[in-house]
Amino acid sequence: MVIKASSHTQVDALIADLQSDRPATREAAITRLTVIGARALERLMALTRDGRAAPASRTAALRTLEAIGDPRSLEVILTAVDAPDEEVAAAAVGAARVFLRTSRGAAATGRLTATALDRRRADVIRAAAIRALSELEPSTLKPLYAALLNDPSPAIAALVARPSARAPRATDGVEIGVGGLAQAIEGDLPSDPAALRDAVTRTGSAVSLPLLHRLVERIREREAAAPERRADWMRVRGAVHAALANRDSRLALYDLRETLESSTEPLPVEFLAALRQIGDASCLEAIAAAYTRAMGPQESGDWWRRHLADAFRTIRSRERMTRRHAVMKRIEKRWPAILEER
């Protein structure tokens, strides 16, 4: 494949963004590089190999490789599983999980099994490997669980003893673990939104940002297909936004903004909590408009307006938006009430 110079330039710029000290910049680069896909593969693998690069940058590269899922990256990913930095190693474990059920599954399974059994490794890495492997069939996992059941580490022994570690798939009425959550994102969402919301709350911090972003889109699709349970699914989407915001990710900020723009009633509080954490100047007009729409006699309007006003003030202060800014001038002209809120 011949790569045009413009593509080289774009990839170079995004690889530089992966090495930014700003999480939002890295996360935006992950999204764009995922779309570029194979054309960025060599540069991503080079950054993953670079032991001099910051752990956050190597982690970002591994998350991008996970999202792309190209088999040519597996060797680099499996090497990174042995990285001394726990953040990098955990990201590599997550990336290796993608290949467990592919033609390269034996290599991925072997390395993750060795990691799970290696008592020299930190418990957090061993646990990540166990959770990744838990997507495999019970018959495949039985020898591993038997070997770990009496492990000297109480945390590891307890993990393999729990039913949720042995069967984390997204089946109704069963607790969904990290592996099951990722499987739900890529396959069929469970019919019970409460189970999925609980899984996001418990394990969302261990799921890659691109997968959480994908989950937002999947839930929006489910909301449209099941209007009778729209409110329940919207609460799940709010939980995903909270999980993204807790990691300073703006990958799904557009969804927060669009949801607020189209809302005719109060949203789950997680939406506003996420807005307060990661909202930027582009969100202020949507907040001001929602605040104005809520200025009615409805009983729920008071708390909703207070939350909207709080998010507005927080974002305005963070973005240092004075009344001279163009956005603020538009708000003062169209939705002045929120500027008077104290």
Side-chain angles (χ1 to χ4, degrees):
M1 177 186 293
V2 177
I3 302 177
K4 297 180 180 179
S6 59
S7 297
H8 275 304
T9 302
Q10 183 183 27
V11 170
D12 288 346
L14 291 172
I15 292 295
D17 284 348
L18 286 186
Q19 299 174 76
S20 168
D21 58 2
R22 297 186 59 188
T25 301
R26 294 197 301 270
E27 289 152 14
I30 289 172
T31 301
R32 293 175 64 189
L33 285 164
T34 299
V35 173
I36 290 173
R39 288 179 293 157
L41 202 63
E42 290 298 329
R43 295 298 311 280
L44 287 166
M45 292 192 296
L47 179 55
T48 300
R49 293 190 195 99
D50 188 358
R52 298 168 300 175
S57 301
R58 297 178 69 196
T59 296
L62 282 160
R63 286 175 175 165
T64 311
L65 291 174
E66 175 185 354
I68 294 173
D70 192 303
R72 290 172 292 179
S73 65
L74 182 58
E75 183 178 348
V76 170
I77 290 169
L78 295 182
T79 299
V81 169
D82 295 329
D85 184 272
E86 291 182 7
E87 182 183 8
V88 174
V93 168
R97 176 198 59 80
V98 173
F99 299 95
L100 288 174
R101 293 181 177 274
T102 70
S103 60
R104 304 293 304 279
T109 300
R111 179 60 60 88
L112 292 181
T113 299
T115 300
L117 292 169
D118 189 349
R119 297 175 181 177
R120 297 168 298 176
R121 303 299 300 273
D123 280 359
V124 65
I125 303 304
R126 298 180 69 196
I130 293 167
R131 292 190 180 101
L133 289 165
S134 65
E135 296 187 5
L136 299 176
E137 298 303 320
S139 58
T140 303
L141 295 170
K142 187 175 180 179
L144 174 64
Y145 287 147
L148 293 173
L149 198 57
N150 296 312
D151 194 88
S153 167
I156 297 300
L159 180 63
V160 299
R162 287 204 308 267
S164 60
R166 295 173 180 250
R169 289 169 173 74
T171 53
D172 298 337
V174 178
E175 184 181 87
I176 303 172
V178 176
L181 181 55
Q183 185 175 346
I185 295 168
E186 296 299 341
D188 294 327
L189 296 180
S191 61
D192 180 11
L196 185 58
R197 184 174 183 270
D198 177 66
V200 171
T201 302
R202 287 185 296 101
T203 65
S205 61
V207 177
S208 74
L209 295 173
L211 278 178
L212 287 177
H213 180 221
R214 171 64 175 150
L215 183 56
V216 169
E217 298 174 343
R218 295 292 314 282
I219 294 170
R220 283 190 69 157
E221 295 168 0
R222 178 61 68 88
E223 288 176 36
E228 71 282 356
R229 302 205 67 180
R230 181 174 180 270
D232 294 331
W233 283 108
M234 183 172 280
R235 281 192 287 272
V236 184
R237 185 155 56 99
V240 182
H241 276 299
L244 285 164
N246 286 336
R247 291 161 67 180
D248 295 322
S249 172
R250 295 186 177 184
L251 278 178
L253 183 60
Y254 73 93
D255 182 77
L256 280 173
R257 186 171 57 246
E258 290 177 1
T259 302
L260 189 58
E261 287 172 345
S262 61
S263 67
T264 57
E265 56 188 25
L267 299 174
V269 70
E270 290 89 349
F271 281 85
L272 286 177
L275 271 174
R276 281 197 301 271
Q277 285 183 255
I278 61 168
D280 60 17
S282 70
C283 302
L284 291 178
E285 289 178 270
I287 296 173
Y291 179 91
T292 302
R293 289 196 299 271
M295 293 180 67
Q298 62 268 35
E299 185 176 345
S300 61
D302 186 48
W303 78 264
W304 176 234
R305 287 194 302 272
R306 283 189 281 107
H307 278 290
L308 287 166
D310 178 59
F312 185 92
R313 286 192 296 267
T314 299
I315 296 170
R316 180 183 178 183
S317 175
R318 182 167 61 237
E319 299 290 309
R320 300 178 181 179
M321 305 283 288
T322 69
R323 286 187 180 246
R324 294 192 298 272
H325 195 282
V327 170
M328 298 304 295
K329 288 181 179 179
R330 289 196 296 271
I331 290 172
E332 187 169 20
K333 182 177 180 179
R334 300 185 62 185
W335 310 287
I338 197 166
L339 298 176
E340 300 167 5
E341 173 73 24
R342 294 291 183 268

